[in-house]
Every structure is written in structure tokens, then in C-alpha cells.
């Protein structure tokens, strides 16, 4: 579900959004800066629709949420294709960012260290796999490592070696019992990179 906030004191603005925006977004209404901050602490927010007559918000808050904010009024046409495209762009970008954060948290929980660049590359790989949901037809060596390498300005070999190094370090420093439970292993076994990708991707997909 996409989470949004309508920041307005104007009931007409709120009604316009709720009655005319045909994109599935779960909205909360914030009437001041404090309620906005409280909502963002409760859960990740993908988009903020800001009443252009609302003048009770600081530049610091605006800067903090600028990539998520779209200015509207009570006459905004929510059937406009350009506006719908803007909203979709904002929510899609923030969903990807939130999902990558979840993946990094999951990797940390497994024992991966953020000190290793390979951990971040692995998060990018899992994000890419999660988007395509076509992992069975993808080859890490031929398809995935070169794709992440191109995005990061690195060679496929560099991506692969960094990910394997991070996985080796995770295994040698991990809680063996936790690892066995996570991967359903019967004994002390180091998971392959592919097994990590599949397990974390499944966990994120169904969380």
C-alpha cells in the first residue's frame, strides 16, 4: 500500500483529493507541522500533497520532504495525465528507496556489515531481482553483476568479488543458530550468494 499525507487546513482541498484521485493511496490528513512529523515517525510516507495556501510549514521541513511533496489546491484536476504521471513517479521512487532500506536492514540482521561495500551491492542486486521477479531466468554472472556494475560504475568482477567478500565476513561473524534457522539448514553451512538473494527477496516480498 502507498502511504500519503494531505497537509492542509482546508476541507475542500482534502475532499478534492479523496474524491478525485483514483490511485490507491492510504492518506492521513496533517493540519500542522507537528502532526506531519508524527505521521512520518509512525510509518514510511511515499507522498505528501501540500495545500499551496498552507503557510505554516518551515523551509527545513519542506527541504526534508521535497522529493516526496507535490503542491495542490482545491481545484487541482486529478484526472490530468501529467499530474497522475508525476504522482506515480514520486510514489514509485520512494517505494524503491523504502524497499532498499528494508533489504539493508534484513542483511544487517543476518550479520552483514555496512562497512563492506559488497553489502550495498548485494542490496542493489536484491532490489533489482525484486523488481523483475524473474530471478530463475537471470544469471548472476552474465546478467545481474554487469547490470549493477554499470549502475555503480564498476566492473562485474568488482561487484561479484565485493559481494562474496561481504558474504564471507558475514558467515565468519554470524550467529550460527540464527543462520541455520533463517536458511533452514540442518548444520553449520555457509549460504551461497544466490541462497542469500532468494531468502532475503522472499522475506521482503511477503513482509
Amino acid at each position: 500500500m502507498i502511504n500519503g499525507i494531505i497537509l492542509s487546513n482546508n476541507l475542500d482541498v482534502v475532499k478534492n483529493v479523496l474524491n478525485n484521485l483514483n490511485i490507491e493511496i492510504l492518506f492521513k490528513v496533517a493540519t500542522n507541522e507537528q502532526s506531519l512529523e508524527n505521521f512520518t515517525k509512525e510509518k514510511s510516507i511515499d507522498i505528501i500533497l501540500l495545500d499551496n495556501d498552507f503557510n505554516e510549514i518551515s523551509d527545513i521541513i519542506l527541504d526534508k520532504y521535497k522529493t516526496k511533496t507535490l503542491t495542490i489546491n482545491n481545484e487541482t484536476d486529478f484526472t490530468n495525465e501529467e499530474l497522475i504521471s508525476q504522482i506515480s513517479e514520486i510514489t514509485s521512487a520512494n517505494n524503491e528507496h523504502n524497499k532498499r532500506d528494508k533489504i539493508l536492514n534484513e542483511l544487517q540482521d543476518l550479520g552483514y556489515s555496512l562497512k563492506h561495500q559488497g553489502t550495498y551491492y548485494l542490496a542493489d542486486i536484491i532490489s533489482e531481482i525484486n523488481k523483475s521477479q524473474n530471478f530463475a531466468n537471470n544469471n548472476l554472472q552474465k546478467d545481474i553483476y554487469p547490470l549493477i556494475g554499470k549502475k555503480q560504475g564498476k566492473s562485474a568482477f568488482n561487484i561479484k568479488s565485493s559481494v562474496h567478500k561481504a558474504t564471507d565476513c558475514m558467515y565468519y561473524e554470524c550467529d550460527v543458530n540464527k543462520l541455520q534457522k533463517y536458511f533452514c539448514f540442518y548444520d553449520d553451512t555457509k549460504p551461497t550468494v544466490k541462497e542469500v538473494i532468494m531468502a532475503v527477496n522472499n522475506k521482503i516480498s511477503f513482509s
Side-chain angles (χ1 to χ4, degrees):
M1 176 62 69
I2 300 170
N3 296 309
I5 292 176
I6 304 168
L7 186 54
S8 176
N9 285 313
N10 187 329
L11 186 58
D12 289 333
V13 170
V14 175
K15 284 182 177 179
N16 186 29
V17 175
L18 298 180
N19 292 336
N20 298 300
L21 182 56
N22 294 320
I23 297 176
E24 289 190 10
I25 303 176
L26 182 62
F27 277 113
K28 289 193 173 184
V29 178
T31 56
N32 54 49
E33 195 171 297
Q34 186 58 56
S35 58
L36 169 67
E37 287 289 85
N38 289 340
F39 288 150
T40 59
K41 287 175 184 175
E42 290 174 9
K43 59 176 61 181
S44 296
I45 298 300
D46 301 300
I47 188 167
I48 297 170
L49 299 184
L50 173 64
D51 182 348
N52 66 352
D53 288 331
F54 194 91
N55 55 10
E56 298 175 21
I57 187 167
S58 70
D59 289 338
I60 294 174
I61 296 295
L62 275 176
D63 188 62
K64 181 178 179 181
Y65 299 112
K66 62 184 176 182
T67 60
K68 302 182 178 186
T69 302
L70 187 66
T71 302
I72 60 167
N73 58 46
N74 63 336
E75 295 180 354
T76 298
D77 178 9
F78 287 105
T79 64
N80 182 281
E81 288 186 12
E82 186 177 341
L83 180 63
I84 292 172
S85 178
Q86 279 182 280
I87 293 171
S88 297
E89 268 186 50
I90 292 171
T91 54
S92 175
N94 283 298
N95 271 332
E96 290 305 318
H97 179 75
N98 293 337
K99 187 162 283 186
R100 187 175 183 275
D101 283 347
K102 286 183 181 179
I103 291 168
L104 277 173
N105 287 337
E106 193 70 19
L107 291 174
Q108 276 187 280
D109 194 47
L110 265 178
Y112 279 86
S113 172
L114 296 184
K115 294 179 182 178
H116 300 296
Q117 188 61 46
T119 301
Y120 296 96
Y121 293 156
L122 184 55
D124 289 337
I125 289 169
I126 297 170
S127 294
E128 197 63 41
I129 294 299
N130 192 270
K131 279 192 291 183
S132 68
Q133 292 298 317
N134 198 28
F135 187 54
N137 296 325
N138 285 324
N139 181 288
L140 283 175
Q141 191 74 35
K142 293 181 180 179
D143 301 322
I144 306 301
Y145 291 146
L147 177 64
I148 302 303
K150 185 176 181 180
K151 289 183 177 182
Q152 296 290 342
K154 303 287 183 180
S155 68
F157 176 79
N158 183 275
I159 299 297
K160 177 182 177 179
S161 60
S162 295
V163 168
H164 278 264
K165 180 181 177 182
T167 302
D168 287 342
C169 291
M170 176 278 292
Y171 175 66
Y172 292 122
E173 297 173 9
C174 73
D175 178 334
V176 173
N177 292 327
K178 185 174 187 177
L179 212 61
Q180 285 179 240
K181 184 177 179 181
Y182 195 93
F183 292 97
C184 300
F185 292 154
Y186 290 105
D187 50 21
D188 184 2
T189 306
K190 185 181 83 169
T192 65
V193 170
K194 186 171 282 191
E195 285 173 330
V196 172
I197 291 170
M198 291 176 67
V200 174
N201 181 51
N202 286 337
K203 186 78 177 286
I204 295 301
S205 296
F206 295 104
S207 62

